[in-house]
């Protein structure tokens, strides 16, 4: 019996007390001499090892993949799936707890939270770990509830020929503030505010039929949709209420007050504060509120991809309002504001840097353009959006010009065939249009795809950017590679994990002419097209979410410390053993994906 076994060490903290006692009673201790192979690659194992003292190297041939220290466990693959993925070798005199495989497998079978640690694919492991970490009754549990659970009133209908007075009486009788209106073959909506404005402000007779007031541009969600989807719809369409359908039938309304009654967030309120801003100074407050919302959602356990989507919608509304406030009339008429980088992919959470530009349908007065460049980028500076170190901003003439000029610039980059030109093409590929003549971006991107068609050598050079930063093995202390720009027990999660996935998938999307920008959507499109194996696509998406989850925690901490230059740095020694395990698995996925890209695009020539 190993009485010193720490059952608060993940994943053992997911066991019930009777399961803990059963495991402690069965645990043994083993000694391994320096250089001794504890588990050979491809071999099965009948015990799960947990390091007590010493160090164990995980190796693939001569390549060191990681170093395991006290409280780390190995090898779940050998125990559950019958074959170790690496050689596990004692680096020094090592003591390990030995947990019987038969018992561990029984615990896996009856305890799903514990079982998550042993899943073979990263995506399932991430999902299960997220569920295990989620605060009970927190924001995430609310957002995963259904719309029908938050609706307070059922649908009430009125005929379009009914009068304002009759509509008001119907609302009062049902104690509601909105009615569905039947008008010929259409269904519309009339609200209490509509009635009040008609009677008080416009002095319309109370006998006026509601068909004159109803609006038919209904934004609806399904009753079985998640509240998260409803929140996003409210944010995206700037609505205080949504119609709710059950199939094709309207069954009620979901109002912002219904959401406020279920959680303490305010994402659905920020758009109105943005739209109400009368000048740049008044935009500063909702800009800060967006950043506060990121921290609030993270603190309450919302998944990082949901945080990114909510933040993206809010930021985009902020940028459009800023454009409306500072753009001269000539630019308002001809300009299309674009976002690039993680903002364009809807994958940014905590603010990193500005990645924006402007496409113009025709030349505008130079004085107007110069004034707009300074005003727009300067306002974002004042809102706390750091300037882009690479100059990918509206204030840079390279990224704010006519669409025809941008097309010529893209052709110059295609013909230049330099790493810098390839990176600029990559940046532009992530662009999304926010307002104005969005066809300008559509046409310019289409021209870029035509330029790249058949350019296999250029595509290979583009793909080679995936090797701009190395993906390290995850060990302890100085065993981490320093090629990502840091050393010691630190890893730059953006360079080591996020960038290789984002750029590799971006390369494959460019090769296939896929114009969507979010990495998850690109992965789905590539899998659907048969260009990416479904299992690899699932693991890449899971790994990306792992990296984003670790990064947002690092970003929030860096903002609090005032050291934003460390926003992507993660210290593995501060992670739990289970977290290090999933991070190690995620880095393994990235290394495998690098090999796929290298083989497919023949990048070895560079």
């Amino acid at each position: 019996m190993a009485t010193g076994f720490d059952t608060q060490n993940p994943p053992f903290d997911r066991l019930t007390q009777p399961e803990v006692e059963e495991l402690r009673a069965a645990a043994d201790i083993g000694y391994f001499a320096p250089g001794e192979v504890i588990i050979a690659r491809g071999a099965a194992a009948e015990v799960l090892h947990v390091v007590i003292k010493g160090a164990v190297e995980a190796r693939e041939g001569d390549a060191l993949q990681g170093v395991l220290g006290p409280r780390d466990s190995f090898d779940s693959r050998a125990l559950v799936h019958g074959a170790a993925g690496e050689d596990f070798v004692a680096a020094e005199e090592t003591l390990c707890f030995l947990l019987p495989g038969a018992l561990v497998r029984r615990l896996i079978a009856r305890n799903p939270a514990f079982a998550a640690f042993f899943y073979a694919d990263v995506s399932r492991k991430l999902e299960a770990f997220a569920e295990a970490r989620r605060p009970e009754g927190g924001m995430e549990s609310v957002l995963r509830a259904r719309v029908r659970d938050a609706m307070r009133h059922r649908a009430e209908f009125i005929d379009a020929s009914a009068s304002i007075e009759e509509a008001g009486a119907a609302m009062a009788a049902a104690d509601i503030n909105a009615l569905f209106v039947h008008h010929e073959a259409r269904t519309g909506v009339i609200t209490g505010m509509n009635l009040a404005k008609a009677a008080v402000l416009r002095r319309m007779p109370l006998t006026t039929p509601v068909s004159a007031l109803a609006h038919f541009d209904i934004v609806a969600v399904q009753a079985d949709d998640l509240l998260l989807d409803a929140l996003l719809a409210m944010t995206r369409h700037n609505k205080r209420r949504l119609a709710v359908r059950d199939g094709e039938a309207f069954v009620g309304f979901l109002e912002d007050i219904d959401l406020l009654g279920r959680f303490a967030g305010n994402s659905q309120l920020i758009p109105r504060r943005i739209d109400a801003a009368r000048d740049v100074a008044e935009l500063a407050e909702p800009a800060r509120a967006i950043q506060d919302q990121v921290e609030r959602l993270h603190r309450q356990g919302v998944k990082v991809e949901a945080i990114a989507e909510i933040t993206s919608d809010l930021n985009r509304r902020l940028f459009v309002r800023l454009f409306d406030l500072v753009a001269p009339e000539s630019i308002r008429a001809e300009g299309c504001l674009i976002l690039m980088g993680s903002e364009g992919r809807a994958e940014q959470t905590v603010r990193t840097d500005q990645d924006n530009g402007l496409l113009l349908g025709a030349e505008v007065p130079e004085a107007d353009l110069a004034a707009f460049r300074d005003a727009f980028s300067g306002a974002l500076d004042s809102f706390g959006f750091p300037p882009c170190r690479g100059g990918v901003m509206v204030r840079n003439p390279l990224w704010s010009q006519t669409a025809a000029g941008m097309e010529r610039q893209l052709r110059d980059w295609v013909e230049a065939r330099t790493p810098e030109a390839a990176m600029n093409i990559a940046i532009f590929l992530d662009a999304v249009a926010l307002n104005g003549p969005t066809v300008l971006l559509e046409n310019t991107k289409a021209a870029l795809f035509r330029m790249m068609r058949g350019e296999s050598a250029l595509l290979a050079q583009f793909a080679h950017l995936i090797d701009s930063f190395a993906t390290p093995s995850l060990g302890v202390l100085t065993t981490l590679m320093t090629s990502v720009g840091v050393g010691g027990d630190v890893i730059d999660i953006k360079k080591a994990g996020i960038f290789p996935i984002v750029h590799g998938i971006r390369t494959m999307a460019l090769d296939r002419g896929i114009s969507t920008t979010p990495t998850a959507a690109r992965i789905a499109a590539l899998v659907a097209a048969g260009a990416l194996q479904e299992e690899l696509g699932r693991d890449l998406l899971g790994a990306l979410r792992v990296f984003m989850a670790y990064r947002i925690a690092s970003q929030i901490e860096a903002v609090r410390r005032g050291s934003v230059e460390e926003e992507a740095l993660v210290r593995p020694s501060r992670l739990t053993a289970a977290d290090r395990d999933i991070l190690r698995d995620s880095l393994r996925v990235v290394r495998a994906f690098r090999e796929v890209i290298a083989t497919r695009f023949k990048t070895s020539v560079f």
Side-chain angles (χ1 to χ4, degrees):
M1 179 176 180
T3 55
F5 182 68
D6 180 10
T7 55
Q8 295 305 305
N9 178 30
F12 306 106
D13 59 344
R14 294 165 173 81
L15 296 174
T16 65
Q17 191 57 38
E19 290 169 341
V20 165
E21 296 305 324
E22 188 177 4
L23 193 64
R24 277 183 171 151
D28 202 351
I29 295 177
Y31 167 81
F32 303 96
E36 182 177 349
V37 177
I38 303 174
I39 307 176
R41 183 178 182 181
E46 285 307 315
V47 296
L48 181 68
H49 299 75
V50 181
V51 179
I52 302 172
K53 181 181 179 182
V56 176
E57 295 179 346
R59 291 186 167 275
E60 288 186 11
D62 293 330
L64 178 65
Q65 299 300 321
V67 179
L68 309 179
R71 304 180 78 200
D72 286 331
S73 57
F74 66 96
D75 178 57
S76 58
R77 295 187 192 185
L79 182 71
V80 178
H81 307 288
E86 300 146 323
D87 290 315
F88 291 89
V89 182
E92 56 189 66
E93 288 190 332
T94 300
L95 291 177
C96 293
F97 287 117
L98 309 178
L99 309 180
L103 174 56
V104 172
R105 285 188 285 268
R106 287 199 301 274
L107 295 174
I108 289 171
R110 66 184 189 229
N111 187 323
F114 180 68
F117 182 80
F118 301 92
Y119 288 151
D121 58 282
V122 172
S123 55
R124 287 185 67 200
K125 185 179 288 189
L126 171 66
E127 181 65 27
F129 275 152
E131 289 293 335
R133 288 196 192 98
R134 195 161 294 144
E136 190 69 30
M139 173 76 84
E140 180 69 20
S141 65
V142 172
L143 292 179
R144 304 307 292 182
R146 303 293 171 179
V147 168
R148 67 171 70 253
D149 299 328
M151 277 195 334
R152 293 185 301 157
H153 303 287
R154 62 183 178 85
E156 297 287 343
F157 293 83
I158 195 169
D159 191 80
S161 62
S163 67
I164 290 176
E165 184 176 16
E166 289 170 330
M171 288 184 190
D175 190 25
I176 57 177
N177 197 40
L179 298 169
F180 288 102
V181 178
H182 284 311
H183 183 58
E184 298 174 351
R186 297 189 298 167
T187 300
V189 171
I190 186 78
T191 69
M193 183 61 71
N194 297 148
L195 299 181
K197 286 182 176 179
V200 176
L201 299 181
R202 298 166 63 185
R203 303 296 181 111
M204 298 176 71
L206 296 183
T207 55
T208 304
V210 294
S211 58
L213 309 177
H215 57 92
F216 297 87
D217 55 335
I218 298 177
V219 178
V221 291
Q222 287 290 327
D224 284 327
D225 284 349
L226 300 178
L227 287 183
L228 170 61
D229 299 322
L231 176 62
L232 290 172
M234 283 184 176
T235 302
R236 192 166 291 142
H237 298 285
N238 194 23
K239 296 291 186 181
R240 294 188 61 181
R241 69 172 54 81
L242 303 172
V244 180
R245 291 180 183 268
D246 192 347
E248 292 299 314
F250 288 105
V251 295
F253 291 99
L254 180 73
E255 301 190 20
D256 54 7
I257 194 66
D258 300 330
L259 288 174
L260 283 171
R262 298 183 69 92
F263 58 82
N266 63 346
S267 297
Q268 73 280 19
L269 303 180
I270 295 174
R272 265 173 276 147
R273 295 163 64 187
I274 291 173
D275 292 344
R278 292 165 294 182
D279 53 36
V280 171
E282 289 188 1
L283 267 184
E285 184 179 353
R288 286 192 297 271
I290 294 172
Q291 193 57 45
D292 293 342
Q293 182 77 341
V294 170
E295 295 195 32
R296 183 184 300 110
L297 294 173
H298 180 259
R299 192 166 55 246
Q300 294 176 326
V302 178
K303 291 180 182 177
V304 65
E305 59 268 29
I307 296 175
E309 191 169 356
I310 292 170
T311 305
S312 173
D313 283 343
L314 294 174
N315 279 340
R316 292 179 185 192
R317 186 174 292 274
L318 178 77
F319 299 148
V320 169
R321 182 58 180 153
L322 177 59
F323 178 94
D324 291 340
L325 288 172
V326 303
E329 183 57 37
S330 60
I331 291 178
R332 290 166 64 90
E334 297 291 343
C336 171
L337 190 64
I338 61 175
L339 291 183
M340 294 165 282
S342 57
E343 283 279 15
R345 298 190 306 273
E347 292 165 5
Q348 187 170 99
T349 50
V350 176
R351 293 170 188 156
T352 50
D353 56 8
Q354 299 179 39
D355 283 304
N356 47 59
L358 178 72
L359 294 180
L360 295 166
E363 297 284 354
V364 299
E366 187 58 36
D368 285 358
L369 187 53
F372 173 72
R373 286 168 175 161
D374 289 342
F376 188 86
S377 295
L380 291 183
D381 291 346
S382 70
F383 294 164
F385 288 86
C388 175
R389 285 173 288 182
V392 185
M393 296 179 289
V394 162
R395 68 160 52 102
N396 184 347
L398 181 67
W399 295 102
S400 58
Q401 57 176 309
T402 64
M406 179 58 74
E407 188 171 332
R408 289 191 296 271
Q409 181 61 68
L410 289 168
R411 187 170 297 282
D412 288 344
W413 286 332
V414 168
E415 293 173 354
R417 300 174 184 273
T418 64
E420 294 77 16
M423 183 58 76
N424 283 332
I425 292 172
I427 290 168
F428 186 77
L429 276 172
D430 289 341
V432 294
L434 296 191
N435 64 349
T438 58
V439 69
L440 295 176
L441 179 60
E442 295 171 14
N443 291 342
T444 309
K445 273 195 175 183
L448 175 59
F449 281 117
R450 289 194 298 273
M451 294 175 203
M452 295 293 292
R453 192 173 298 141
E455 292 280 359
S456 56
L458 180 57
L459 198 59
Q461 186 175 53
F462 185 83
H464 184 59
L465 289 175
I466 198 173
D467 293 325
S468 299
F469 315 105
T471 295
S473 304
L474 184 63
V476 293
L477 302 176
T478 57
T479 61
L480 285 173
M481 296 172 64
T482 60
S483 56
V484 293
V486 294
D489 181 37
V490 180
I491 182 171
D492 188 315
I493 209 74
K494 178 180 178 181
K495 294 178 179 178
I498 294 174
F499 177 78
I501 294 177
V502 166
H503 187 68
I505 291 297
R506 181 165 49 203
T507 301
M508 297 178 73
L510 176 60
D511 184 36
R512 286 292 180 130
I514 294 169
S515 59
T516 188
T517 58
T519 303
R522 284 170 169 166
I523 289 174
L526 289 166
V527 170
L532 184 68
Q533 290 184 348
E534 183 176 359
E535 181 180 357
L536 178 56
R538 188 169 58 248
D539 279 350
L540 285 168
L541 186 56
L544 179 62
R545 288 170 175 167
V546 168
F547 298 135
M548 289 177 65
Y550 290 139
R551 187 185 183 194
I552 189 174
S554 176
Q555 287 176 318
I556 290 173
E557 180 62 26
V559 169
R560 288 174 182 163
R561 291 196 310 267
S563 54
V564 292
E565 69 280 358
E566 297 183 359
E567 57 90 16
L569 302 187
V570 173
R571 289 168 173 78
S573 65
R574 298 182 184 178
L575 303 177
T576 67
D579 284 330
R580 285 197 301 273
D581 179 79
I582 196 171
L583 182 54
R584 187 165 57 244
D585 280 350
S586 300
L587 292 172
R588 186 182 292 116
V589 169
V590 172
R591 288 194 296 272
F593 184 50
R594 285 181 183 275
E595 294 176 4
V596 169
I597 294 297
T599 300
R600 182 166 303 185
F601 296 100
K602 300 179 174 59
T603 62
S604 59
V605 299
F606 295 98

